[in-house]
């Protein structure tokens, strides 16, 4: 008799159902995490990245925005991310879960019980950016155009739907998806750093004999915050290029490399780090909230599903 373990059809169905349930839970948990992450620092980041000498620094941008539009002005352009953040984060965490499954499947020994290596987590994090970008890029395009309004001059767009309508009229889907390459360039390494930092921080905070899944409320918040800091530490330069590509009039740049060349020529290499201050102010609390939402919603689903 063969010593190999025989897998019955019933066991195969059970394993497939478990995998599907895991994917659904990751999708829903990511959505809950996204809902917890929305904060007003993004408008300041985008305005610093796209303006030329209008603001002295992060706090001057905050001050001018509030003086001109009130506190609610900080949320200009947030209707689009508020509407899209849940599906975007849902797709991101679902894609990360799928990336981890692919990493397990690529192992030569097909071992799916031992923890993922650092390289495998990096692969899964990078992979997660690919499906997410299909949703992220057009959302970011609309958001950026809404956020740069209100800095003087007449508002061009009445709202997010009007942005989409005008962009489609001007250049079709190509215009709506402008900046997709820059978004992927930002999010592929950024997502790798994001998930690697989270997993490493969780591992470092896990007491001997305990599991990372049993970390305290505070430890989850800290690990999530560090994930956000890690991502934005490396994501700012491509994010600047993305913001400029998506906010500039048609024909300003011929592509990503042309945008890089013109940005450095006009404003110097330091321009690639504009918006770092507000990005970091947002990174820790927003992503601490994100992972808290993900982890605790996942725990609840594990108990009831």
């Amino acid at each position: 008799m063969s010593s190999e373990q025989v897998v019955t059809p019933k066991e195969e169905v059970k394993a497939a159902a478990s995998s599907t349930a895991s994917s659904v839970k990751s999708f829903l948990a990511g959505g809950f995490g996204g809902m917890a992450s929305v904060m007003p620092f993004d408008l300041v980041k985008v305005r610093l990245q796209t303006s030329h000498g209008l603001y002295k620094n992060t706090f001057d941008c905050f001050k001018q925005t509030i003086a001109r539009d009130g506190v609610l002005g900080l949320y200009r352009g947030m209707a689009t991310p508020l509407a899209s953040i849940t599906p975007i984060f849902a797709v991101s965490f679902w894609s990360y879960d799928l990336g981890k499954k692919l990493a397990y499947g690529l192992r030569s020994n097909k071992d799916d019980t031992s923890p993922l290596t650092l390289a495998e987590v990096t692969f899964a994090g990078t992979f997660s950016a690919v499906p997410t970008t299909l949703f992220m890029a057009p959302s970011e395009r609309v958001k950026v155009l809404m956020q740069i309004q209100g800095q003087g001059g007449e508002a061009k767009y009445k709202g997010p739907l009007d942005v989409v309508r005008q962009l489609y009229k001007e250049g079709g889907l190509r215009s709506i998806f402008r900046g997709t390459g820059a978004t992927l360039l930002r999010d592929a390494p950024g997502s790798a750093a994001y998930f690697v930092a989270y997993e490493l921080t969780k591992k470092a905070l896990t007491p001997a004999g305990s599991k990372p899944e049993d970390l305290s409320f505070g430890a989850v918040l800290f690990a999530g915050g560090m994930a956000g800091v890690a991502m934005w530490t490396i994501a700012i330069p491509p994010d600047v290029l993305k913001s400029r590509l998506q906010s500039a009039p048609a024909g300003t740049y011929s592509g990503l490399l042309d945008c890089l060349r013109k940005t450095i020529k006009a404003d110097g290499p330091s321009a690639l780090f504009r918006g770092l201050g507000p990005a970091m102010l947002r990174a820790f609390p927003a992503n601490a909230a994100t992972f808290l939402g993900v982890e605790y919603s996942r725990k609840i689903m594990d108990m009831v599903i």
Side-chain angles (χ1 to χ4, degrees):
M1 182 182 293
S2 173
S3 61
E4 293 183 2
Q5 185 178 2
V6 177
V7 180
T8 66
K10 185 176 181 180
E11 289 175 328
E12 289 181 345
V13 170
K14 186 177 180 180
S18 176
S19 177
T20 301
S22 173
S23 296
V24 171
K25 289 175 185 177
S26 294
F27 183 86
L28 294 175
F32 283 116
M35 291 166 63
S37 72
V38 178
M39 301 187 76
F41 297 107
D42 193 66
L43 175 134
V44 175
K45 172 181 72 68
V46 169
R47 288 191 170 182
L48 285 171
Q49 290 174 341
T50 57
S51 63
H52 298 275
L54 188 58
Y55 307 108
K56 297 175 184 177
N57 50 45
T58 298
F59 294 103
D60 183 51
C61 185
F62 267 111
K63 185 177 71 173
Q64 289 195 43
T65 299
I66 292 172
R68 184 165 45 239
D69 301 320
V71 174
L72 291 179
L74 294 171
Y75 288 89
R76 183 188 295 271
M78 293 306 289
T80 302
L82 279 170
S84 62
I85 200 73
T86 298
I88 285 174
F89 270 80
V91 170
S92 176
F93 278 85
W94 170 80
S95 301
Y96 178 56
D97 185 68
L98 179 59
K100 290 191 291 184
K101 291 175 182 175
L102 288 173
Y104 278 124
L106 290 171
R107 288 180 170 180
S108 57
N109 58 3
K110 302 301 178 182
D111 174 24
D112 61 355
T113 57
S114 59
L116 291 171
T117 66
L118 184 61
E120 289 170 332
V121 173
T122 302
F123 164 79
T126 303
F127 174 83
S128 73
V130 178
T132 307
T133 296
L134 296 176
F135 297 87
M136 181 73 79
S139 172
E140 292 270 301
R141 171 83 154 127
V142 173
K143 181 201 70 175
V144 165
L145 289 173
M146 288 295 297
Q147 288 179 331
I148 63 172
Q149 291 194 138
Q151 301 179 91
E154 187 176 338
K156 182 179 179 181
Y157 305 108
K158 298 175 183 178
L161 291 179
D162 187 46
V163 175
V164 174
R165 184 183 63 80
Q166 291 196 43
L167 289 179
Y168 187 79
K169 185 177 180 180
E170 291 169 5
L173 289 176
R174 184 182 181 89
S175 179
I176 294 172
F177 280 83
R178 187 200 295 177
T180 298
T183 303
L184 184 60
L185 181 64
R186 177 194 70 178
D187 289 351
S191 295
Y194 189 63
F195 288 109
V196 166
Y198 183 66
E199 300 292 353
L200 289 179
T201 306
K202 278 208 309 181
K203 184 177 180 181
L205 294 175
T206 302
S210 299
K211 297 179 180 179
E213 294 78 15
D214 299 326
L215 283 177
S216 67
F217 181 93
V220 172
L221 282 174
F222 182 75
M226 292 307 296
V229 170
M231 174 180 176
W232 283 105
T233 297
I234 65 173
I236 279 293
D239 188 60
V240 170
L241 299 179
K242 180 199 70 66
S243 294
R244 293 195 172 200
L245 277 169
Q246 292 183 324
S247 64
T252 304
Y253 306 110
S254 61
L256 185 61
L257 290 178
D258 184 51
C259 181
L260 174 63
R261 181 179 61 81
K262 288 180 178 177
T263 295
I264 293 176
K265 183 178 180 180
D267 302 315
S270 63
L272 295 174
F273 293 90
R274 283 186 183 172
L276 180 62
M280 287 302 178
L281 284 173
R282 177 186 181 276
F284 193 96
N287 291 286
T290 295
F291 276 99
L292 188 69
V294 168
E295 293 286 3
Y296 280 84
S297 62
R298 183 64 186 259
K299 284 184 178 182
I300 292 171
M301 284 186 285
D302 285 342
M303 288 190 291
V304 299
I305 300 177

